[in-house]
Amino acid sequence: DSGVTQTPKHLITATGQRVTLRCSPRSGDLSVYWYQQSLDQGLQFLIQYYNGEERAKGNILERFSAQQFPDLHSELNLSSLELGDSALYFCASSVDFLTGELFFGEGSRLTVL
Amino acid sequence: AQSVTQLGSHVSVSEGALVLLRCNYSSSVPPYLFWYVQYPNQGLQLLLKYTSAATLVKGINGFEAEFKKSETSFHLTKPSAHMSDAAEYFCAVSPLVSQGNLIFGKGTKLSVKP
């Protein structure tokens, strides 16, 4: 158990819909990262937050957004969903943003029909 | 831009045999390098990391990796494979020393035959 909690574990929805994925980092970790894992693209970095502020941005679509709240949990919002958004979405956390030692949750598997 | 290439999407070894998973990186600055393992239906777990200290890095479960700057490689090895090593392994590089987000390779799925 990494200490990172993601909900929901599985989500099935239709094209055009909007979903929210939630992540609770390890106790004491200030940085949260979101990654998308798909068969064709592999693990793609989406976005990073540190203590409530956006720290780095990767290949995140404009239809996607995220935020980190004062209690340090984070949410990833995916809107106008397309079939290609079906993937496993991982949240990871770390105590800071220097070491690169990330602790991953078990992921949220999104299926868009 | 930094990147990571993992040679071989699938590697199969017999139990007790040497495990060698290859990773080459591209980086304009001294990198931080990592190996993560993903067991089925689980998140990624850190195996080991290189942060410019010793070039031979020992990790969990008997794995180790050697940083070779001249070859821009960071291959993962284990002398004797165990059935429980069957998983997917990811090499990753940190793009900037001041940022923790990682750039991952495509992964190598390791199968271990009895």
Side-chain angles (χ1 to χ4, degrees):
Chain A
D1 183 4
S2 67
V4 178
T5 303
Q6 289 188 247
T7 57
K9 290 194 186 310
H10 301 276
L11 192 54
I12 301 174
T13 189
T15 55
Q17 295 299 305
R18 171 189 170 96
V19 298
T20 297
L21 309 180
R22 182 187 168 100
C23 169
S24 294
R26 289 188 325 157
S27 176
D29 284 358
L30 299 178
S31 250
V32 169
Y33 310 76
W34 287 97
Y35 283 83
Q36 179 193 61
Q37 186 180 37
S38 60
L39 282 174
D40 53 341
Q41 296 291 323
L43 267 164
Q44 296 284 313
F45 168 67
L46 296 179
I47 198 164
Q48 175 196 1
Y49 281 84
Y50 178 77
N51 204 19
E53 294 193 4
E54 184 182 303
R55 180 79 191 175
K57 218 169 197 177
N59 300 321
I60 188 166
L61 299 172
E62 284 192 11
R63 300 183 286 108
F64 296 0
S65 65
Q67 55 183 325
Q68 186 180 27
F69 295 86
D71 67 352
L72 301 177
H73 91 271
S74 177
E75 292 180 357
L76 179 66
N77 299 296
L78 315 174
S79 61
S80 303
L81 285 169
E82 302 175 359
L83 296 178
D85 297 328
S86 295
L88 195 51
Y89 291 85
F90 283 110
C91 171
S93 72
S94 66
V95 64
D96 56 27
F97 52 83
L98 297 175
T99 66
E101 184 169 346
L102 306 186
F103 294 85
F104 282 80
E106 294 189 352
S108 292
R109 183 170 294 282
L110 173 65
T111 303
V112 182
L113 301 176
Chain B
Q2 293 177 315
S3 64
V4 164
T5 302
Q6 291 184 242
L7 295 175
S9 57
H10 287 86
V11 170
S12 182
V13 301
S14 297
E15 193 172 19
L18 171 72
V19 175
L20 171 61
L21 304 182
R22 299 177 187 274
C23 172
N24 288 88
Y25 69 90
S26 168
S27 174
S28 57
V29 297
Y32 283 10
L33 292 161
F34 306 81
W35 276 99
Y36 280 80
V37 60
Q38 184 179 25
Y39 298 102
N41 300 315
Q42 292 188 29
L44 281 75
Q45 177 184 358
L46 180 68
L47 266 181
L48 49 81
K49 64 179 180 181
Y50 166 78
T51 56
S52 73
T55 56
L56 183 62
V57 182
K58 293 189 184 299
I60 62 171
N61 300 337
F63 284 93
E64 62 182 37
E66 186 172 9
F67 173 72
K68 291 187 177 181
K69 185 178 178 180
S70 61
E71 299 177 7
T72 61
S73 68
F74 190 57
H75 301 332
L76 182 71
T77 59
K78 181 174 180 177
S80 177
H82 193 273
M83 297 295 290
S84 60
D85 295 327
E88 189 154 20
Y89 293 80
F90 293 89
C91 183
V93 63
S94 183
L96 291 172
V97 173
S98 62
Q99 286 182 202
N101 61 291
L102 302 178
I103 307 298
F104 284 89
K106 293 283 189 186
T108 298
K109 187 163 286 188
L110 175 67
S111 300
V112 182
K113 298 174 290 186

Coordinates of all heavy atoms in Angstrom, one line a residue, chain A residues 22-63:
Chain A
R22 N -10.6 11.6 -8.2 CA -10.1 12.1 -7.0 C -8.9 11.4 -6.5 O -8.7 10.2 -6.6 CB -11.2 12.1 -5.9 CG -10.8 12.7 -4.6 CD -11.9 12.4 -3.6 NE -11.4 12.8 -2.2 CZ -11.7 13.9 -1.6 NH1 -12.5 14.8 -2.2 NH2 -11.3 14.1 -0.4
C23 N -8.0 12.2 -5.8 CA -6.7 11.6 -5.3 C -6.4 12.2 -4.0 O -6.4 13.4 -3.8 CB -5.6 11.9 -6.3 SG -3.9 11.5 -5.7
S24 N -6.1 11.3 -3.0 CA -5.6 11.7 -1.7 C -4.2 11.3 -1.6 O -3.9 10.1 -1.7 CB -6.4 11.1 -0.6 OG -7.7 11.6 -0.6
P25 N -3.2 12.2 -1.5 CA -1.8 11.9 -1.4 C -1.4 11.2 -0.1 O -2.2 11.2 0.8 CB -1.1 13.2 -1.6 CG -2.1 14.2 -1.0 CD -3.4 13.7 -1.4
R26 N -0.2 10.7 0.0 CA 0.3 10.2 1.2 C 0.3 11.4 2.2 O 0.5 12.5 1.9 CB 1.7 9.7 1.1 CG 1.9 8.5 0.3 CD 3.4 8.0 0.4 NE 4.3 9.1 0.4 CZ 5.6 9.0 0.9 NH1 6.0 7.8 1.4 NH2 6.4 10.0 0.9
S27 N 0.2 11.0 3.5 CA 0.2 12.0 4.6 C 1.5 12.7 4.5 O 2.6 12.1 4.5 CB 0.0 11.3 5.9 OG 0.1 12.2 7.0
G28 N 1.5 14.0 4.5 CA 2.7 14.8 4.5 C 3.3 15.2 3.1 O 4.2 16.0 3.0
D29 N 2.8 14.5 2.1 CA 3.3 14.8 0.7 C 2.6 16.1 0.2 O 1.4 16.2 0.3 CB 3.0 13.7 -0.2 CG 4.0 12.5 0.0 OD1 4.9 12.6 0.8 OD2 3.9 11.5 -0.7
L30 N 3.4 17.0 -0.3 CA 2.8 18.3 -0.8 C 2.6 18.3 -2.3 O 1.9 19.1 -2.8 CB 3.8 19.4 -0.4 CG 4.0 19.6 1.1 CD1 5.0 20.8 1.3 CD2 2.7 19.9 1.8
S31 N 3.3 17.4 -3.0 CA 3.3 17.3 -4.5 C 2.3 16.2 -5.0 O 2.4 15.1 -4.5 CB 4.6 17.1 -5.1 OG 5.1 18.2 -5.7
V32 N 1.5 16.6 -5.9 CA 0.6 15.6 -6.6 C 0.8 15.6 -8.1 O 1.0 16.7 -8.6 CB -0.9 15.9 -6.2 CG1 -1.8 15.1 -7.1 CG2 -1.1 15.6 -4.8
Y33 N 0.9 14.5 -8.7 CA 1.1 14.4 -10.1 C -0.1 13.5 -10.7 O -0.5 12.6 -10.1 CB 2.4 13.6 -10.4 CG 3.6 14.2 -9.7 CD1 3.8 13.9 -8.3 CD2 4.5 14.9 -10.3 CE1 4.9 14.4 -7.6 CE2 5.7 15.4 -9.7 CZ 5.8 15.1 -8.3 OH 6.9 15.6 -7.7
W34 N -0.4 13.8 -11.9 CA -1.4 13.0 -12.6 C -0.8 12.5 -13.9 O -0.1 13.2 -14.6 CB -2.6 13.8 -13.0 CG -3.6 14.1 -11.9 CD1 -3.6 15.2 -11.1 CD2 -4.6 13.2 -11.3 NE1 -4.6 15.1 -10.1 CE2 -5.2 13.9 -10.2 CE3 -5.0 11.9 -11.6 CZ2 -6.2 13.3 -9.5 CZ3 -6.0 11.4 -10.9 CH2 -6.6 12.1 -9.8
Y35 N -1.0 11.2 -14.1 CA -0.5 10.5 -15.3 C -1.6 9.7 -16.0 O -2.5 9.2 -15.3 CB 0.6 9.5 -15.0 CG 2.0 10.1 -14.7 CD1 2.3 10.6 -13.4 CD2 3.0 10.2 -15.6 CE1 3.5 11.1 -13.1 CE2 4.2 10.7 -15.4 CZ 4.5 11.2 -14.1 OH 5.7 11.8 -13.8
Q36 N -1.5 9.6 -17.3 CA -2.4 8.8 -18.1 C -1.7 7.7 -18.7 O -0.6 7.8 -19.2 CB -3.0 9.7 -19.2 CG -4.0 8.9 -20.1 CD -4.3 9.7 -21.4 OE1 -3.4 10.0 -22.1 NE2 -5.6 10.1 -21.6
Q37 N -2.2 6.5 -18.5 CA -1.6 5.3 -19.1 C -2.5 4.6 -20.1 O -3.6 4.2 -19.7 CB -1.2 4.3 -18.0 CG -0.4 3.1 -18.5 CD 0.0 2.1 -17.4 OE1 -0.7 1.8 -16.5 NE2 1.2 1.5 -17.6
S38 N -2.0 4.5 -21.3 CA -2.8 3.8 -22.3 C -1.9 2.9 -23.1 O -0.7 3.1 -23.1 CB -3.5 4.8 -23.3 OG -2.5 5.6 -23.9
L39 N -2.5 2.0 -23.8 CA -1.6 1.0 -24.5 C -0.8 1.6 -25.6 O 0.4 1.3 -25.8 CB -2.5 -0.1 -25.1 CG -3.1 -1.1 -24.2 CD1 -4.1 -2.1 -24.9 CD2 -1.9 -1.9 -23.6
D40 N -1.4 2.6 -26.3 CA -0.6 3.2 -27.4 C 0.3 4.3 -27.0 O 1.4 4.5 -27.6 CB -1.6 3.7 -28.5 CG -2.6 4.6 -27.9 OD1 -2.8 4.6 -26.7 OD2 -3.2 5.4 -28.7
Q41 N 0.0 5.1 -26.0 CA 0.8 6.2 -25.6 C 1.7 5.9 -24.4 O 2.6 6.7 -24.1 CB -0.1 7.4 -25.2 CG -0.8 7.9 -26.4 CD 0.1 8.6 -27.4 OE1 1.1 9.2 -27.1 NE2 -0.3 8.4 -28.7
G42 N 1.5 4.8 -23.7 CA 2.3 4.5 -22.5 C 1.9 5.5 -21.4 O 0.8 5.9 -21.3
L43 N 2.8 5.8 -20.5 CA 2.6 6.6 -19.4 C 2.9 8.1 -19.7 O 4.1 8.4 -20.0 CB 3.5 6.2 -18.2 CG 2.9 5.2 -17.2 CD1 4.0 4.7 -16.3 CD2 1.9 5.9 -16.3
Q44 N 1.9 8.9 -19.7 CA 2.1 10.3 -20.1 C 1.8 11.2 -18.9 O 0.8 11.1 -18.2 CB 1.1 10.7 -21.2 CG 1.3 9.9 -22.5 CD 2.4 10.4 -23.3 OE1 2.6 11.6 -23.5 NE2 3.3 9.5 -23.8
F45 N 2.8 12.1 -18.6 CA 2.6 13.0 -17.6 C 1.6 14.1 -18.0 O 1.7 14.7 -19.1 CB 4.0 13.7 -17.3 CG 3.9 14.9 -16.4 CD1 3.5 14.8 -15.1 CD2 4.2 16.2 -16.9 CE1 3.5 15.9 -14.3 CE2 4.2 17.3 -16.1 CZ 3.8 17.1 -14.8
L46 N 0.6 14.4 -17.1 CA -0.4 15.3 -17.4 C -0.1 16.7 -16.7 O 0.0 17.7 -17.3 CB -1.8 14.8 -17.0 CG -2.3 13.6 -17.7 CD1 -3.6 13.2 -17.2 CD2 -2.3 13.8 -19.2
I47 N 0.0 16.6 -15.4 CA 0.1 17.9 -14.6 C 0.6 17.6 -13.2 O 0.4 16.5 -12.7 CB -1.2 18.6 -14.6 CG1 -1.1 20.1 -14.2 CG2 -2.2 17.9 -13.7 CD1 -2.3 20.9 -14.6
Q48 N 1.3 18.6 -12.6 CA 1.8 18.5 -11.3 C 1.4 19.7 -10.4 O 1.4 20.8 -10.9 CB 3.3 18.4 -11.3 CG 4.0 18.4 -9.9 CD 5.5 18.7 -10.0 OE1 6.0 19.0 -11.0 NE2 6.1 18.7 -8.8
Y49 N 1.0 19.4 -9.2 CA 0.7 20.5 -8.3 C 1.6 20.4 -7.1 O 2.0 19.3 -6.7 CB -0.7 20.4 -7.8 CG -1.7 21.0 -8.8 CD1 -2.2 20.2 -9.9 CD2 -2.1 22.3 -8.7 CE1 -3.0 20.8 -10.8 CE2 -2.9 22.9 -9.7 CZ -3.4 22.1 -10.7 OH -4.2 22.6 -11.7
Y50 N 2.0 21.5 -6.5 CA 2.8 21.5 -5.3 C 2.1 22.5 -4.3 O 2.0 23.7 -4.6 CB 4.2 21.9 -5.6 CG 5.1 22.0 -4.3 CD1 5.5 20.9 -3.7 CD2 5.4 23.3 -3.7 CE1 6.3 20.9 -2.5 CE2 6.1 23.3 -2.6 CZ 6.6 22.2 -2.0 OH 7.3 22.2 -0.8
N51 N 1.7 22.0 -3.2 CA 1.1 22.8 -2.2 C 0.0 23.8 -2.7 O 0.0 24.9 -2.3 CB 2.1 23.6 -1.4 CG 1.8 24.0 0.0 OD1 0.8 23.4 0.6 ND2 2.4 25.0 0.5
G52 N -0.8 23.2 -3.6 CA -2.0 24.0 -4.1 C -1.7 24.8 -5.4 O -2.7 25.3 -6.0
E53 N -0.5 24.8 -5.8 CA -0.2 25.6 -7.0 C 0.3 24.7 -8.1 O 1.0 23.7 -7.9 CB 0.9 26.7 -6.7 CG 0.4 27.7 -5.7 CD 1.3 28.9 -5.7 OE1 2.3 29.0 -6.5 OE2 1.0 29.8 -4.9
E54 N -0.1 25.0 -9.3 CA 0.4 24.3 -10.5 C 1.9 24.4 -10.6 O 2.4 25.6 -10.6 CB -0.3 24.7 -11.7 CG 0.0 24.0 -13.0 CD -0.7 24.5 -14.2 OE1 -1.9 24.6 -14.2 OE2 0.0 24.9 -15.2
R55 N 2.6 23.3 -10.8 CA 4.0 23.3 -10.8 C 4.6 23.0 -12.2 O 5.6 23.6 -12.6 CB 4.6 22.3 -9.8 CG 6.1 22.3 -9.7 CD 6.7 23.4 -8.9 NE 8.1 23.4 -9.0 CZ 8.9 24.4 -8.5 NH1 8.3 25.3 -7.8 NH2 10.2 24.4 -8.7
A56 N 4.0 22.1 -12.8 CA 4.4 21.7 -14.2 C 3.3 21.1 -15.0 O 2.3 20.6 -14.4 CB 5.6 20.7 -14.1
K57 N 3.3 21.3 -16.3 CA 2.3 20.9 -17.1 C 2.9 20.0 -18.2 O 3.9 20.3 -18.8 CB 1.6 22.0 -17.8 CG 0.1 21.9 -17.9 CD -0.5 23.3 -18.3 CE -2.0 23.3 -18.1 NZ -2.6 24.6 -18.4
G58 N 2.2 18.9 -18.5 CA 2.7 18.0 -19.5 C 1.7 18.0 -20.7 O 1.2 19.0 -21.1
N59 N 1.4 16.8 -21.2 CA 0.5 16.6 -22.3 C -0.9 16.6 -21.9 O -1.7 15.7 -22.3 CB 0.9 15.3 -23.1 CG 2.3 15.3 -23.5 OD1 2.8 16.3 -24.0 ND2 3.0 14.2 -23.4
I60 N -1.4 17.6 -21.3 CA -2.8 17.6 -20.8 C -3.6 18.4 -21.8 O -3.3 19.5 -22.2 CB -2.9 18.3 -19.4 CG1 -4.3 18.1 -18.8 CG2 -2.4 19.7 -19.3 CD1 -4.4 18.4 -17.3
L61 N -4.7 17.8 -22.2 CA -5.6 18.4 -23.1 C -6.4 19.6 -22.5 O -6.5 19.6 -21.3 CB -6.6 17.3 -23.6 CG -6.1 16.1 -24.3 CD1 -7.2 15.1 -24.6 CD2 -5.4 16.5 -25.6
E62 N -6.8 20.5 -23.3 CA -7.6 21.6 -22.8 C -8.9 21.2 -22.2 O -9.4 21.9 -21.3 CB -7.8 22.6 -24.0 CG -6.6 23.4 -24.3 CD -6.9 24.6 -25.2 OE1 -8.1 24.9 -25.4 OE2 -6.0 25.2 -25.8
R63 N -9.4 20.0 -22.6 CA -10.7 19.5 -22.1 C -10.5 19.0 -20.6 O -11.4 18.7 -19.9 CB -11.2 18.4 -22.9 CG -11.5 18.8 -24.3 CD -12.1 17.6 -25.1 NE -11.1 16.6 -25.5 CZ -11.1 15.4 -25.0 NH1 -11.9 15.0 -24.0 NH2 -10.2 14.5 -25.4

